[in-house]
Amino acid sequence: MAAPTPSRATPERRMHHNTLYFPDGDIVLSALVDPVQEEGILIHPRQMFRVHRFILRRNSLFFSDMLSLPAPEALDANEMYDGVPLVPMQDSATDLASLLNALPFKHKDPNTPFLIRGILRLAVKYDMNPLRARILEHWAADWPRTLADWDHFESDIALMKARYDNARDGKLDGLFFDDHFPEPALAIRVAQDFGCTDILPAAYYRVACVSVKHDWTRARAAEAPLTVTSPLVRGEFTARWELLDHADLVRVLAAREFLSSTFFHLADALKTDPECDNVACENVQAHLREAVVPRYQARSDVLGAINACLKLAYKAEEFGSGYIMCQACKGEQDDQLNYWKGIIWRDFQTSSDICLFLRITSIARHIRV
């Protein structure tokens, strides 16, 4: 009897993947490709991946369990393709190809989470826990998790900022300053969904310092003018605000409130010793209090303010003899600033209003995935 002819309304087309169709593979996985219209007929393509069972079994509990069952219990014995069993998958061909390749990805690329979300979904679905862990570990390295890491992160930002000082239209080699660093809102979304809670304090800090007017999507829209008012031209950070849900936004507000409340520590750290008679010490500290700190306070970046004070205090002597601090005041000021930097970093990481709550909700989300 002739094989049934597919309906003209919804015919299926099968296409081999260019690189993941191995002649010696012993199983074929088929995945979904977006439907296309051809001569008024809706075509439903499926991409075919011919791979090796032992690789699937070694890396996935899901496939290990399924492929250890005797046929036809594990696979439909009537579903064969190119001489080997065929397993139809309900996943997108793009996600499945990424999973099978497990390709490395660029560090600090703001779009990396978009690339790995599909892989992570499939890694969770098919119990590929080692692969999931490796991907998250590789990606999470973009985000500082210690105060020393944070300082390195800030140094990288400062160096990149210097490169963009004279960038025309805010671009170098086709990229904005903002394109060189991970974007916090998308990072929060992926971290919450897949249980990578270690990066959340740094990501929440970063997004709390971004103005809500600096929207990643709107700033890059085709109709958005690249004028001097654009955050991209000014070399400022943007965020994908639309990806944050209500609970995320509440935590952003809590983070911003917490950071803003810590600036009074800087006033204590930048006080001149009453026993010091060197007017230059007061000149430097007044400059830091009145000119440097307010720039960072406007965006709640208290750690940035502390680092700027530490850096500028050592360069203040370049302004002239009236700005050379005595060693005693400079040493005391550095000690105070570093002390409060450590306290603020620690308290931000352990704040019950921000990080404890987000860890609990992240675990709950991960269980639901």
Side-chain angles (χ1 to χ4, degrees):
M1 180 182 295
T5 303
S7 165
R8 281 184 56 80
T10 57
E12 182 180 271
R13 174 180 297 162
R14 292 173 172 179
M15 308 174 297
H16 294 182
H17 191 274
N18 289 337
T19 59
L20 291 169
Y21 197 89
F22 302 104
D24 60 345
D26 54 6
I27 191 169
V28 171
L29 310 179
S30 74
L32 303 170
V33 179
D34 291 339
V36 295
Q37 286 275 358
E38 290 186 6
E39 299 180 357
I41 300 174
L42 188 64
I43 307 294
H44 289 266
R46 292 189 72 89
Q47 194 148 55
M48 317 303 281
F49 302 84
R50 184 166 180 164
V51 292
H52 302 89
R53 295 192 198 199
F54 83 91
I55 292 177
L56 297 177
R57 282 198 299 261
R58 186 177 63 185
N59 290 284
S60 166
L61 291 175
F62 173 87
F63 283 109
S64 179
D65 291 342
M66 183 183 75
L67 298 176
S68 65
L69 297 173
E73 187 177 353
L75 304 171
D76 186 343
N78 294 320
E79 282 206 87
M80 303 290 290
Y81 181 83
D82 207 4
V84 297
L86 170 65
V87 181
M89 313 285 285
Q90 297 307 309
D91 309 298
S92 79
T94 300
D95 286 351
L96 185 57
S98 298
L99 180 71
L100 294 173
N101 274 313
L103 293 173
F105 40 85
K106 291 192 295 184
H107 275 299
K108 295 186 179 177
D109 188 321
N111 295 311
T112 286
F114 280 130
L115 302 177
I116 65 173
R117 278 198 304 182
I119 307 174
L120 290 170
R121 278 195 297 267
L122 296 190
V124 171
K125 179 177 179 179
Y126 297 120
D127 293 320
M128 293 181 167
N129 294 323
L131 176 61
R132 171 188 163 276
R134 286 198 303 273
I135 291 171
L136 287 175
E137 181 181 9
H138 185 74
W139 168 65
D142 288 350
W143 288 95
R145 283 169 278 185
T146 67
L147 185 53
D149 290 342
W150 181 267
D151 286 342
H152 286 305
F153 189 77
E154 290 288 295
S155 295
D156 290 344
I157 290 174
L159 289 172
M160 187 62 68
K161 193 82 168 177
R163 285 187 57 201
Y164 274 78
D165 279 348
N166 299 310
R168 184 176 179 180
D169 295 329
K171 281 188 175 183
L172 286 178
D173 299 324
L175 296 175
F176 294 109
F177 165 79
D178 194 26
D179 294 328
H180 291 278
F181 297 96
E183 188 278 310
L186 180 55
I188 288 169
R189 184 78 292 112
V190 171
Q192 298 266 48
D193 289 345
F194 295 99
C196 190
T197 57
D198 286 353
I199 76 153
L200 288 171
Y204 271 103
Y205 186 106
R206 179 57 60 195
V207 77
C209 297
V210 177
S211 168
V212 293
K213 297 178 181 178
H214 295 177
D215 183 83
W216 172 285
T217 306
R218 286 204 302 270
R220 289 165 172 78
E223 64 275 13
L226 289 177
T227 65
V228 291
T229 61
S230 167
L232 298 177
V233 174
R234 294 200 305 266
E236 297 175 346
F237 287 112
T238 61
R240 292 178 170 105
W241 289 103
E242 74 278 6
L243 298 182
L244 300 179
D245 61 24
H246 175 77
D248 296 328
L249 292 172
V250 169
R251 287 191 285 274
V252 171
L253 291 175
R256 191 171 289 173
E257 193 171 274
F258 172 89
L259 295 171
S260 295
S261 72
T262 62
F263 272 86
F264 77 93
H265 295 305
L266 273 65
D268 291 338
L270 297 174
K271 282 182 180 176
T272 306
D273 185 343
E275 297 183 3
C276 177
D277 58 2
N278 182 1
V279 68
C281 295
E282 174 55 30
N283 289 344
V284 171
Q285 292 178 329
H287 175 74
L288 296 177
R289 287 194 306 267
E290 298 165 13
V292 176
V293 171
R295 293 206 306 267
Y296 292 86
Q297 193 164 10
R299 58 178 184 268
S300 305
D301 185 7
V302 65
L303 297 180
I306 291 175
N307 283 338
C309 288
L310 287 167
K311 181 179 180 181
L312 289 176
Y314 278 91
K315 299 177 69 175
E317 59 194 48
E318 297 176 7
F319 303 149
S321 58
Y323 288 88
I324 301 176
M325 293 182 74
C326 71
Q327 290 302 312
C329 285
K330 186 183 287 187
E332 177 64 20
Q333 177 177 286
D334 286 358
D335 288 345
Q336 285 290 309
L337 289 171
N338 281 310
Y339 170 78
W340 284 115
K341 184 166 74 166
I343 294 295
I344 292 167
W345 174 264
R346 181 201 67 190
D347 289 353
F348 184 79
Q349 297 237 2
T350 58
S351 168
S352 59
D353 291 335
I354 307 166
C355 298
L356 179 61
F357 179 61
L358 66 86
R359 280 183 169 84
I360 293 171
T361 54
S362 178
I363 291 170
R365 284 174 186 246
H366 179 55
I367 291 171
R368 288 198 297 271
V369 172

